[in-house]
Structure formats: structure tokens, C-alpha cells
């Protein structure tokens, strides 16, 4: 368990500062604003007409903000989402109770707290949203052969502090667990990241970024 420092970002939502690396979990220009832009609008929204359940994989559960926004998306669109996330350093319950996301997003805080249970078994959050966490390091994960994610939220700490998380080996492992045409979005447009994604079987495109960031990346798994 980790107890990162909580700070306010420019859209009024909280983010966390990791005590080991000094990295913020989100943009200081707006945590909710950034997550909605990079992961929901640039990734998940491509599936808003889906007739079947969406399978999402997130790298770095962190504060649970992406999971909470995806829960809201599933409820709004009435599309079931099976959400898997990996986290090596879950945040303490004390931290969870202080985050202002339930208040700002008008969600029951007990529902948010339920998402932060420290367990690997599937958590049924609602009729439209289930959550399964892998409480281990990304380099240790082994996806079963029949895993086919539609969407990947690649939300690791930056390649400057954790270059190993953004390697061709990791992207290749994730690509093999995705459907053809599946979508991975991330906030980093670093040259090494683009090269590793291309080498792992993705076509990439740059999209305009949220406030404070010029561009972000969307990668599509080749057919
Ligand atoms: C940018 S933050 C994620 C923010 C998160 N998506 C959110 O909505 O709050 C990166 C996360 O990756 C986690 N992490 C760091 N090293 C990891 C590793 N080797 N395996 C899995 N997760 C890791 C960190 O603990 C942190 O929660």
C-alpha cells in the first residue's frame, strides 16, 4: 500500500504525487479533463455503438479515476464493460476516502471505495461494469490465450522514470491480448514509445492533446 500526496489540479479535481518517483498520476492542468480526453473520448468512444460487451485493459489503476469514468460511460451508453487493470502499488484506503472524484462526478462514494478493494477476484460494481485487478507488476502478467481486449488505456508513469514499462516486449504482450482493430491510447508521444508500438504491430496516429499537452497517441492493432 502506498499513501501518495494529494494535490488539486486546475480543473478542480485531485491528483496524486508518487513519493518514489515524484510523478503525478495525472496532468496538473486537470486530472478529470485529461482522463476524459485521452482515454474516454480518444479510446472508448470509438465503441459507443457496440452491440456487445467491451473488454478494457488499463495499465496502472492508481487513483481509480479512469475506472470510475469508464463505469459512468458504461451506464450512460448502456454497454457492458469488463474492465481489467494492473497495479503494483495500490493506494491506501485513507487516500481513497479523500479523493474528490465521487463528489465531482456525482457518484456514490461507496461505489468508488468498492472499486478500491484490495482483491484480484472480479468485483461486480453494477449491471454494466465489472472490475478485475491484477495486483502485480506489468512485466509479470500472463494473459490467458482467449483474452481479447477492445481497448487499452496505457497509463503508466512516464517513460523518463519507468522506461521498462514502455518497451516493445510489453507492448507486444499487450498486442497479443487485443482484438485486431483494438485501440490503445496513451498520453506520451515520445519517439521511443512510437517506435516500440509500431514494432509491436500497431499503426499509430497523433491526436490533439488536452489543455497543457500538444498531442497524444492512439494506436490501432493491425488486422
Ligand atoms: C500514471 S499512474 C496511473 C493513473 C491511473 N490510471 C488513474 O486513473 O489514477 C501509474 C500507475 O502505475 C503503477 N505502477 C508503477 N509501476 C508499476 C508496475 N511495474 N506494474 C504495474 N503498475 C505499476 C503506479 O503505482 C501508478 O498507480
Amino acid at each position: 500500500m502506498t499513501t501518495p500526496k494529494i494535490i488539486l489540479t486546475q480543473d478542480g479535481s485531485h491528483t496524486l504525487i508518487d513519493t518514489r518517483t515524484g510523478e503525478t498520476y495525472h496532468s496538473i492542468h486537470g486530472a478529470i479533463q485529461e482522463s476524459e480526453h485521452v482515454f474516454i473520448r480518444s479510446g472508448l468512444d470509438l465503441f459507443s455503438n457496440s452491440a456487445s460487451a467491451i473488454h478494457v485493459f488499463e495499465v496502472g489503476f492508481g487513483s481509480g479515476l479512469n475506472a470510475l469514468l469508464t463505469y459512468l460511460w458504461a451506464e450512460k451508453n448502456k454497454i457492458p464493460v469488463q474492465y481489467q487493470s494492473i497495479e503494483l502499488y495500490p493506494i491506501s484506503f485513507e487516500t481513497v476516502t479523500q479523493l474528490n472524484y465521487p463528489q465531482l462526478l456525482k457518484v456514490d462514494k461507496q461505489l468508488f471505495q468498492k472499486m478500491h478493494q484490495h482483491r484480484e477476484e472480479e468485483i461486480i460494481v453494477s449491471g454494466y461494469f465489472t472490475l478485475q485487478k491484477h495486483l502485480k507488476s506489468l512485466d509479470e502478467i500472463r494473459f490467458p490465450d482467449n483474452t481479447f481486449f477492445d481497448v487499452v488505456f496505457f497509463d503508466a508513469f512516464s517513460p523518463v522514470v519507468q522506461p521498462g514499462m514502455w518497451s516493445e516486449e510489453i507492448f507486444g504482450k499487450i498486442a497479443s491480448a487485443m482484438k485486431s482493430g483494438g485501440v490503445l491510447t496513451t498520453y506520451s508521444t515520445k519517439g521511443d514509445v512510437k517506435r516500440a508500438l509500431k514494432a509491436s504491430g500497431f499503426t499509430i496516429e497523433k491526436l490533439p492533446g488536452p489543455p497543457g499537452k500538444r498531442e497524444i497517441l492512439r494506436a490501432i492493432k493491425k488486422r
Side-chain angles (χ1 to χ4, degrees):
M1 289 285 171
T2 180
T3 303
K5 188 173 172 222
I6 299 180
I7 59 162
L8 262 188
T9 67
Q10 283 173 18
D11 69 358
S13 59
H14 281 146
T15 192
L16 302 168
I17 303 182
D18 179 51
T19 49
R20 281 174 299 266
T21 60
E23 287 265 300
T24 55
Y25 282 48
H26 312 93
S27 163
I28 56 163
H29 298 278
I32 289 182
Q33 180 175 258
E34 177 190 48
S35 287
E36 280 180 336
H37 182 94
V38 179
F39 301 109
I40 307 300
R41 282 199 293 280
S42 306
L44 204 49
D45 270 357
L46 270 60
F47 296 84
S48 54
N49 291 320
S50 176
S52 52
I54 306 294
H55 297 255
V56 177
F57 179 63
E58 175 188 40
V59 173
F61 185 75
S63 69
L65 174 57
N66 289 340
L68 190 61
L69 291 171
T70 303
Y71 155 78
L72 287 170
W73 184 94
E75 295 290 323
K76 185 180 93 187
N77 290 287
K78 303 205 178 335
I79 298 174
V81 174
Q82 289 184 293
Y83 194 97
Q84 293 191 40
S85 187
I86 186 159
E87 179 55 65
L88 184 58
Y89 308 107
I91 61 172
S92 65
F93 190 68
E94 182 198 340
T95 309
V96 173
T97 58
Q98 292 175 51
L99 287 170
N100 66 5
Y101 306 140
Q103 179 196 333
L104 294 179
L105 296 167
K106 300 183 177 41
V107 177
D108 179 4
K109 65 177 190 294
Q110 278 167 356
L111 182 142
F112 185 55
Q113 290 170 8
K114 189 174 176 181
M115 290 185 178
H116 279 276
Q117 283 172 10
H118 191 65
R119 50 182 284 196
E120 292 203 315
E121 295 78 30
E122 186 177 66
I123 301 168
I124 299 172
V125 178
S126 76
Y128 284 108
F129 188 83
T130 62
L131 170 64
Q132 193 195 351
K133 278 188 258 171
H134 305 271
L135 299 170
K136 53 170 69 83
S137 181
L138 182 60
D139 52 19
E140 288 170 338
I141 199 160
R142 298 279 171 273
F143 297 110
D145 286 345
N146 60 350
T147 310
F148 294 109
F149 296 115
D150 301 282
V151 179
V152 173
F153 298 162
F154 200 90
D155 201 11
F157 286 139
S158 76
V160 175
V161 298
Q162 284 195 308
M165 297 275 283
W166 304 77
S167 67
E168 190 181 324
E169 188 191 342
I170 296 281
F171 286 135
K173 196 155 67 167
I174 291 175
S176 62
M178 289 174 72
K179 286 182 189 158
S180 294
V183 175
L184 176 153
T185 56
T186 189
Y187 64 86
S188 175
T189 54
K190 204 166 178 272
D192 289 346
V193 172
K194 289 189 282 187
R195 274 188 289 280
L197 281 166
K198 281 185 195 162
S200 313
F202 290 95
T203 51
I204 58 167
E205 58 181 320
K206 282 191 195 162
L207 303 175
K213 178 132 191 63
R214 200 155 59 89
E215 290 171 324
I216 61 164
L217 270 192
R218 179 160 64 198
I220 311 279
K221 185 182 166 182
K222 285 183 193 156
R223 292 182 189 276

